[in-house]
């Protein structure tokens, strides 16, 4: 169950400010890729399509009023970081380190898996949920100190209250993201391939040695198992999404009207 006490206006205002600060800093460092860059065009094309499907939310989540009228923006930053994230209000940042990892014949479908996951965080209002949890944790720390005069370190409070919820949020975003990608006519099975690549990268960097309790994300093996369990439901959405017509629309919008292909 989600407990959210933060108004959407506050959430979106924080997101807008944060996103502009990130863009401004990257631009000043010369690492913000220009609009004409192929990576930026890819992210905007795929992300906009998934975001549009997220806003009508047929059979994806059920919490959608906050999605109406969002101004989705996408930024790509030149960095070796293998990462992407979203801030409230529909602002997505992707690093080239991640895009290079996904390079290959299935790149667009795998990018869709990543962007579906990030957009799912906005659908489920996970940022607002974390803001609420932070306020509740601060109240609990204060109450404990008043009652027993024992201060609870902020780090300990984070480990107890935030990280398990963060892992749950990531699992939920994986599930919703697969369905969003499927609605946008991207193969939802790509999520497992993405996590396999991320897991290999994580192992090379030593991240697999971090104790599970202190991780903000589920272990890679758990995420792969979860997305495989969710795949049948996502595949039903994919099959029901009239993807043949959508594929022709995408091709027409990118390359002009397509001639019929004889099979």
């Amino acid at each position: 169950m989600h407990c959210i006490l933060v108004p959407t206006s506050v959430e979106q205002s924080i997101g807008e400010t944060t996103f502009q600060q990130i863009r401004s800093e990257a631009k000043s460092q010369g690492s913000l890729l220009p609009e004409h860059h192929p990576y930026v065009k890819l992210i905007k094309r795929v992300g906009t399509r998934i975001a549009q499907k997220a806003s009508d939310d047929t059979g994806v989540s059920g919490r959608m009023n906050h999605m109406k009228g969002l101004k989705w923006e996408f930024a790509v930053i030149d960095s070796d970081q293998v990462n992407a994230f979203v801030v409230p209000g529909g602002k997505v940042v992707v690093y080239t380190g991640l895009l290079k990892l996904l390079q290959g014949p299935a790149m667009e479908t795998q990018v869709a898996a990543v962007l579906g996951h990030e957009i799912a965080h906005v659908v489920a209002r996970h940022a607002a949920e974390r803001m609420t949890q932070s306020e509740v944790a601060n109240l609990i720390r204060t109450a404990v100190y008043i009652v027993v005069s024992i201060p609870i370190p902020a780090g300990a409070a984070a480990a107890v209250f935030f990280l398990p919820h963060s892992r749950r949020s990531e699992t939920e975003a994986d599930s919703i993201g697969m369905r969003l990608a499927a609605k946008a006519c991207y193969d939802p099975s790509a999520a497992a391939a993405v996590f396999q690549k991320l897991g290999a990268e994580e192992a090379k960097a030593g991240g697999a040695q971090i104790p599970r309790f202190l991780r903000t994300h589920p272990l890679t093996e758990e995420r792969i198992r979860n997305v495989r369990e969710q795949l049948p439901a996502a595949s039903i959405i994919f099959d029901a999404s009239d993807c043949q017509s959508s594929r022709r629309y995408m091709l027409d919008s990118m390359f002009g009207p397509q001639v019929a292909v004889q099979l």
Side-chain angles (χ1 to χ4, degrees):
M1 179 179 294
H2 293 257
C3 177
I4 298 175
L5 305 178
V6 179
T8 55
S9 59
V10 172
E11 179 188 9
Q12 292 176 14
S13 177
I14 292 172
E16 177 66 28
T17 300
T18 301
F19 183 70
Q20 294 307 327
Q21 288 176 343
I22 293 168
R23 280 181 51 91
S24 178
E25 181 178 341
K27 189 173 183 178
S28 68
Q29 296 173 349
S31 58
L32 181 67
L33 295 190
E35 293 293 307
H36 63 266
H37 194 283
Y39 277 166
V40 178
K41 289 183 177 180
L42 171 66
I43 294 301
K44 290 184 71 172
R45 182 177 72 251
V46 176
T48 299
R49 181 167 180 79
I50 295 175
Q52 288 172 342
K53 296 298 181 180
S55 295
D56 64 34
D57 185 49
T58 304
V60 171
S61 164
R63 300 181 294 274
M64 297 310 299
N65 287 340
H66 63 287
M67 296 291 291
K68 305 301 182 184
L70 286 184
K71 181 185 177 184
W72 286 89
E73 295 184 78
F74 303 88
V76 181
I77 296 176
D78 188 13
S79 168
D80 290 336
Q81 288 189 59
V82 180
N83 197 18
F85 64 88
V86 66
V87 294
K91 317 299 181 186
V92 182
V93 177
V94 182
Y95 293 99
T96 56
L98 175 59
L99 296 176
K100 290 174 183 176
L101 182 68
L102 303 181
Q103 198 81 42
M107 182 179 184
E108 180 159 341
T109 303
Q110 292 179 8
V111 164
V114 171
L115 295 179
H117 172 94
E118 301 304 334
I119 291 169
H121 281 306
V122 179
V123 171
R125 296 192 68 196
H126 285 150
E129 186 177 25
R130 286 195 297 273
M131 293 178 204
T132 299
Q133 292 164 358
S134 178
E135 291 300 320
V136 171
N138 286 336
L139 288 173
I140 292 174
R141 289 176 60 206
T142 301
V144 170
Y145 182 75
I146 291 172
V147 173
V148 299
S149 300
I150 299 176
I152 301 177
V160 172
F161 294 112
F162 298 157
L163 297 189
H165 293 293
S166 181
R167 291 191 292 269
R168 186 204 66 196
S169 295
E170 293 301 327
T171 298
E172 183 177 39
D174 289 344
S175 177
I176 295 174
M178 288 177 67
R179 286 177 274 165
L180 291 176
K183 282 187 65 181
C185 294
Y186 291 107
D187 184 356
S189 68
V194 170
F195 293 137
Q196 287 172 339
K197 289 184 176 182
L198 290 173
E201 192 71 14
E202 179 183 57
K204 283 196 300 183
Q209 304 304 315
I210 299 173
R212 183 189 184 284
F213 183 69
L214 297 179
R215 300 172 67 94
T216 58
H217 288 61
L219 291 171
T220 301
E221 294 82 0
E222 292 179 3
R223 299 186 82 177
I224 293 174
R225 183 168 60 250
N226 174 65
V227 298
R228 285 176 174 164
E229 289 175 353
Q230 298 294 325
L231 185 57
S235 296
I236 291 173
I237 294 174
F238 179 82
D239 292 339
S241 295
D242 192 22
C243 289
Q244 191 62 38
S245 297
S246 297
R247 175 176 168 77
R248 175 166 291 278
Y249 171 79
M250 286 190 288
L251 289 172
D252 288 350
S253 64
M254 292 168 61
F255 305 113
Q258 303 296 298
V259 296
V261 177
Q262 299 297 323
L263 298 179

